[in-house]
Each structure stands twice: as structure tokens, then as C-alpha cells.
């Protein structure tokens, strides 16, 4: 399809393990965002890429979280030493240029459960 | 699927009536204010946006009103349909920066 694709759709892991979540944005979209959404809450900003570089990573909660976008397309969110509090839906979004108008195209998310 | 609307304020509307969802925003420097719709198990979907120098914008069955004096944003949905049932989030953005989401409101349409 032509939308934002996220894999895996569900991930169950044990506390302390390492996790990678992948996002494949809409072709041609230079801006890519990661958000985290807990039950009953709005999406919480994590990081924003413009091309290959992280333009704003102020939302990453601590140094266990890291994201890359080496070729300016696919992005991977990496979480080290997972904790139960990391359990949430991780949403990826892309846009043609950036958040100039706020119109982001979201994927369906990766649901992470840390046991 | 699991509801994203758990613990959220809920607005119940009869099918065919108009719905009004309200939001208070925080950053008066934002350039754009946006409404997103999120159905259970899916990512948020863009509905409509409004630039900060406007006070009203209309789309198909939806109208967004912006009152900068009191930092208030509203979404009006005309002739609400069962397919409008979802959680609605207001958001703000500007200057190629991050989009910040506010609290959501769950809209329940009663057939």
C-alpha cells in the first residue's frame, strides 16, 4: 500500500530486553516522526527527522531510547533494557516536508508489551 | 480492538445531530491548529487544520473555529453519523516543528 507501514504490529518482550521497531514512511516524505501513545492518552512526541538527521529529539524519555534514519527513508526506533513502563503503542508518521501545516500521515502503530 | 478512548471525556450525540468538540491549547505561538480522528486500533487521521491568522475554516461536514483570545479551538461535525464515532484530538504545530497533541474526546454516536 501507499501508507505508512510499521512492523511489527505487536511485540511482547521481557523486562531488560532490547527491541527494535521499524517504520516505512510514504515514499517521498522527507519528514518522519515517532510518537508514543499510552492507553487513554494522546500521542506523545518522541523524535522528528528531517531527511537523515534528527531535527528534534527532545521527546525521547531517556538514553535507553534511540532512533535512526540512515538513508532518509526507513526509520528504526531502538529501545534498550526495556522496562514495564515502556509498554505503549509506538506510532510513526510522515509528512511531505515537515509540520508546517500539521498534517501528518500515521501508521497503525507497533504495540509494545513489556512483561 | 482495545479502545483508545478509555478514561477520556465522552460526548454522546444522536445520529443526525450536530457535534461540537472543544479543546484548549497552550502555545499561542503555534502557526497551525489541527484536528485528528482516531479509531480504535488505528493511527490518528488528519481531519482539518486552521492557520493562526484565521478564525474559521470549513471542510466537508466539519468546521473548525479558533478563538486566540481565550486559546480555544472547536470542531463542529454536521449531521453526525455512526462512522464519526472515534476519539478526536486537537493538536498544534508551527515552523516545521513537532506536532503536539492535546487531550482527546471520545465521540459516541447513538443510532
Amino acid at each position: 500500500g501507499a501508507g505508512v507501514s510499521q512492523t511489527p504490529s505487536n511485540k511482547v518482550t521481557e523486562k531488560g530486553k532490547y527491541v527494535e521497531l521499524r517504520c516505512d514512511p510514504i515514499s517521498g516524505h522527507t519528514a518522519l516522526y515517532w510518537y508514543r501513545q499510552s492507553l487513554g492518552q494522546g500521542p506523545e512526541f518522541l523524535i522528528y527527522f528531517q531527511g537523515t538527521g534528527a531535527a528534534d529529539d527532545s521527546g525521547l524519555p531517556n538514553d535507553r531510547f534511540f532512533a535512526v534514519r540512515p538513508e532518509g527513508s526507513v526509520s528504526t526506533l531502538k529501545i534498550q533494557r526495556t522496562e514495564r513502563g515502556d509498554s505503549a503503542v509506538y506510532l510513526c508518521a510522515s509528512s511531505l516536508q515537515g509540520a508546517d501545516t500539521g498534517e501528518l500521515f500515521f501508521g497503525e502503530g507497533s504495540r509494545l508489551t513489556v512483561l | 480492538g482495545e479502545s483508545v478512548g478509555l478514561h477520556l471525556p465522552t460526548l454522546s450525540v444522536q445520529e443526525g445531530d450536530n457535534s461540537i468538540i472543544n479543546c484548549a491549547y497552550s502555545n499561542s505561538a503555534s502557526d497551525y491548529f489541527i484536528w485528528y480522528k482516531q479509531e480504535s486500533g488505528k493511527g490518528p487521521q488528519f481531519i482539518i487544520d486552521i492557520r493562526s491568522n484565521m478564525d474559521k475554516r470549513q471542510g466537508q461536514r466539519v468546521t473548525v473555529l479558533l478563538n486566540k483570545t481565550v486559546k480555544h479551538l472547536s470542531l463542529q461535525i454536521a449531521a453526525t453519523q455512526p462512522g464519526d464515532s472515534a476519539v478526536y484530538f486537537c493538536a498544534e504545530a508551527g515552523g516545521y516543528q513537532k506536532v503536539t497533541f492535546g487531550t482527546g474526546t471520545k465521540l459516541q454516536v447513538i443510532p
Side-chain angles (χ1 to χ4, degrees):
Chain A
V4 175
S5 176
Q6 291 189 247
T7 54
S9 55
N10 278 284
K11 175 70 177 179
V12 180
T13 191
E14 293 180 343
K15 180 175 178 295
K17 298 292 188 182
Y18 170 80
V19 166
E20 287 191 354
L21 306 176
R22 175 189 167 106
C23 173
D24 201 338
I26 293 172
S27 178
H29 280 193
T30 60
L32 185 145
Y33 301 78
W34 284 99
Y35 285 81
R36 176 169 71 174
Q37 187 172 31
S38 299
L39 190 62
Q41 304 293 319
E44 173 193 5
F45 171 80
L46 295 177
I47 187 169
Y48 155 50
F49 287 91
Q50 185 61 253
T52 60
D56 185 347
D57 64 356
S58 62
L60 295 177
N62 51 58
D63 62 5
R64 295 187 298 105
F65 288 74
F66 190 70
V68 296
R69 194 185 185 199
E71 298 179 356
S73 178
V74 171
S75 176
T76 304
L77 178 65
K78 308 180 180 191
I79 310 173
Q80 298 177 321
R81 305 183 302 280
T82 51
E83 299 177 356
R84 293 193 179 89
D86 298 335
S87 296
V89 175
Y90 289 81
L91 295 164
C92 177
S94 69
S95 68
L96 190 57
Q97 292 181 342
D100 189 39
T101 65
E103 182 173 5
L104 305 182
F105 296 84
F106 281 86
E108 297 202 337
S110 292
R111 180 177 299 278
L112 175 66
T113 302
V114 182
L115 301 177
Chain B
E2 189 172 359
S3 171
V4 298
L6 192 64
H7 305 309
L8 291 170
T10 299
L11 174 66
S12 296
V13 175
Q14 203 73 36
E15 181 180 357
D17 287 351
N18 297 335
S19 301
I20 300 176
I21 301 172
N22 296 302
C23 173
Y25 65 89
S26 57
N27 187 357
S28 56
S30 294
D31 294 324
Y32 281 91
F33 301 90
I34 316 105
W35 283 99
Y36 279 85
K37 172 186 180 183
Q38 188 173 28
E39 296 174 327
S40 185
K42 297 187 176 181
Q45 179 184 11
F46 174 90
I47 302 173
I48 190 168
D49 63 8
I50 185 168
R51 197 170 183 133
S52 60
N53 61 358
M54 301 170 65
D55 52 25
K56 180 179 180 179
R57 188 175 184 204
Q58 289 185 294
Q60 187 177 9
R61 280 203 307 119
V62 295
T63 300
V64 56
L65 298 178
L66 175 63
N67 185 332
K68 293 183 289 295
T69 302
V70 294
K71 296 185 182 177
H72 184 267
L73 189 68
S74 69
L75 177 71
Q76 299 178 3
I77 304 173
T80 313
Q81 303 169 359
D84 295 327
S85 293
V87 176
Y88 289 80
F89 292 98
C90 63
E92 49 192 303
Y96 292 94
Q97 302 300 317
K98 63 190 179 189
V99 177
T100 302
F101 285 78
T103 54
T105 298
K106 183 177 182 179
L107 177 64
Q108 286 183 331
V109 181
I110 304 166

